[in-house]
Amino acid sequence: MGAITSSMAAKFAFFPPNPPSYEVAVEAATGKLKMTEVAEKENVDVLKVKTKRGNEIVAVYVKNPAAKLTLLYSHGNAADLGQMYDLFNELSIHLRVNLMGYDYSGYGQSTGKPNEQNTYADIEAAIKCLQETYGVKEEDIILYGQSVGSGPTLDLASRLSRLRAVVLHSPIMSGLRVMYPVKHTYWFDIFKNIDKIPLVQCPVLVIHGTADDVVDCSHGKQLWDLCKEKYEPLWVKGGNHCDLELYPEYIRHLKKFITAIEKSGHARNGSIPSLDSIDSGRSSIDCQPRQSTDQREKSRSSTDHREKPKLSTDRRDKSRASTDKRERSKKSVDYTEKANNITEQPEKARNSIDRFGDMMRSAVLCNIDCFKPAATKI
């Protein structure tokens, strides 16, 4: 019974694109790996990395000569590297970071099957590749976890003492809590982020949409409450689960965080430069958990740093992705910092957040039903 329940829980979390959006080929002239179905770039390396569980995962490493820090990006449920490729390149440019993204076992052209333990081995292999192949130090790495990617991100972050920072993008408290109003952690649950986040020693930025109808915004709020070293969170008003990159405030706030982390050096106990008031962050949160009929967990008491749920007659709020929201993402935002002469990136349009939003509008990053449970009940 327990094994069946655990297996069911795992099935709720993993939806690799089928067929994969890309293939991996070998260049005849150089012998180097390349991804098909995406634009080839001189500043992007394609790699295959062995994990300790015997799988071989595909990773991409985007180089930025102006970078001081490196982002290790763990993507969401129903995406693979082919779909994330343009975003990775844009983030590298706008944030002035090197960036490694990887496909979990069973995703894209990575071998093996997707499951929780494999994702932990996958991210360990990715960070080991950064350190051994590219000479990146742990203290210069920022882990970025989107949706289900918050699972391997927090598992690794909870075990590293010198990590520079963590970004959680539409994160989950745990796999089971996305769908069921459980108040306690069960042994068969997966990605027990709510139990691991207090162990993270570095600064944490949480980004979540207030209209997220896949992973309720209360997940991000409660994880932020439990952070040891909080950074001003970003609650994207009207943002859903798959569209936060469309909002100008997303890239602005993320860049502000990266800049603050760069200035912070390797200090761990001091305040972070450019950090806005944490109290202000607490009071301005427009993020309420939904009723239990929406399969969301009721919040715990305030003494346990949980937020009380707001009852709603709707089973699931529809995304407030209105025309006004789309128009906001089209507005040009002044982006004065240039891309520092990065090879293959000469266009001035790439320096604007408006350009970033326009590119992301056409990207398919995840399936809106990526957490829909199977018909069988726990």
Side-chain angles (χ1 to χ4, degrees):
M1 174 66 178
I4 295 175
T5 306
S6 179
S7 175
M8 286 165 44
K11 287 180 181 178
F12 290 160
F14 303 103
F15 292 82
N18 188 19
S21 69
Y22 70 96
E23 293 183 1
V24 176
V26 179
E27 290 183 339
T30 64
K32 292 183 178 180
L33 295 178
K34 67 176 182 179
M35 290 176 62
T36 64
E37 313 303 326
V38 300
E40 194 171 346
K41 295 179 182 293
E42 291 183 4
N43 65 311
V44 178
D45 292 343
V46 179
L47 310 101
K48 287 187 177 180
V49 183
K50 290 281 189 180
T51 78
K52 66 181 182 182
R53 293 174 66 89
N55 297 322
E56 189 174 60
I57 61 170
V58 179
V60 294
Y61 182 68
V62 185
K63 293 170 281 190
N64 184 322
K68 296 179 181 178
L69 301 175
T70 298
L71 209 65
L72 178 53
Y73 196 115
S74 301
H75 62 65
N77 287 350
D80 64 19
L81 287 182
Q83 294 170 329
M84 303 298 294
Y85 186 83
D86 286 339
L87 173 63
F88 288 167
N89 280 279
E90 292 294 321
L91 287 176
S92 176
I93 294 168
H94 287 283
L95 302 178
R96 290 196 308 170
V97 295
N98 299 314
L99 188 149
M100 174 170 278
Y102 64 99
D103 264 340
Y104 310 119
S105 298
Y107 276 70
Q109 299 300 327
S110 295
T111 65
K113 295 182 178 179
N115 62 51
E116 179 185 15
Q117 294 306 316
N118 275 345
T119 66
Y120 296 157
D122 297 339
I123 194 171
E124 286 178 7
I127 197 169
K128 183 179 179 182
C129 177
L130 280 178
Q131 294 170 327
E132 296 183 355
T133 303
Y134 295 101
V136 182
K137 297 178 181 179
E138 180 183 317
E139 53 265 32
D140 292 328
I141 295 174
I142 298 173
L143 298 186
Y144 188 117
Q146 179 188 14
S147 187
V148 157
S150 61
T153 292
L154 283 176
D155 182 77
L156 182 60
S158 68
R159 295 183 285 114
L160 296 179
S161 61
R162 301 190 306 277
L163 194 66
R164 192 63 163 267
V166 169
V167 178
L168 300 177
H169 175 151
S170 305
I172 63 174
M173 288 189 284
S174 74
L176 197 61
R177 284 174 171 88
V178 175
M179 293 164 292
Y180 297 95
V182 296
K183 296 182 179 179
H184 305 286
T185 299
Y186 294 91
W187 68 267
F188 56 80
D189 200 356
I190 63 173
F191 297 133
K192 303 176 183 71
N193 292 340
I194 195 167
D195 298 326
K196 295 175 183 178
I197 188 116
L199 304 176
V200 177
Q201 303 297 318
C202 61
V204 178
L205 164 64
V206 178
I207 302 172
H208 215 123
T210 64
D212 193 324
D213 58 7
V214 177
V215 178
D216 193 84
C217 184
S218 57
H219 284 246
K221 169 60 169 63
Q222 292 187 39
L223 289 173
W224 185 81
D225 281 344
L226 293 169
C227 289
K228 268 189 175 181
E229 193 167 347
K230 298 173 171 65
Y231 184 85
E232 176 194 4
L234 176 61
W235 314 116
V236 182
K237 189 173 183 180
N240 207 322
H241 194 65
C242 304
D243 63 0
L244 300 188
E245 297 89 348
L246 298 179
Y247 291 79
E249 55 264 40
Y250 164 81
I251 194 66
R252 280 205 307 265
H253 198 83
L254 194 51
K255 180 167 179 57
K256 176 183 174 185
F257 176 68
I258 298 296
T259 301
I261 292 302
E262 283 183 354
K263 293 179 179 178
S264 70
H266 300 161
R268 276 289 165 266
N269 297 320
S271 60
I272 307 172
S274 302
L275 175 59
D276 287 353
S277 169
I278 289 297
D279 291 334
S280 173
R282 290 180 187 275
S283 63
S284 63
I285 294 173
D286 181 15
C287 168
Q288 301 290 340
R290 301 185 179 94
Q291 60 172 346
S292 59
T293 55
D294 189 30
Q295 311 262 327
R296 301 295 193 264
E297 179 182 6
K298 289 186 179 180
S299 315
R300 302 176 189 174
S301 66
S302 58
T303 58
D304 193 25
H305 304 289
R306 302 293 192 269
E307 186 178 30
K308 293 185 178 180
K310 180 186 289 184
L311 293 178
S312 168
T313 55
D314 293 331
R315 179 180 173 85
R316 177 168 287 187
D317 294 335
K318 298 292 184 182
S319 169
R320 286 175 278 180
S322 64
T323 302
D324 288 343
K325 179 195 73 176
R326 298 296 180 187
E327 287 303 314
R328 282 203 311 271
S329 67
K330 294 179 184 177
K331 293 181 180 179
S332 177
V333 178
D334 221 0
Y335 191 88
T336 58
E337 186 164 9
K338 295 185 178 180
N340 288 277
N341 300 319
I342 300 175
T343 306
E344 295 293 315
Q345 297 155 358
E347 299 88 359
K348 291 183 179 179
R350 288 178 177 267
N351 292 329
S352 71
I353 293 171
D354 184 51
R355 165 71 177 84
F356 181 90
D358 287 342
M359 183 279 297
M360 286 311 306
R361 189 170 293 104
S362 63
V364 180
L365 297 183
C366 67
N367 183 336
I368 201 67
D369 293 325
C370 56
F371 281 100
K372 182 180 286 184
T376 309
K377 295 182 179 179
I378 288 180

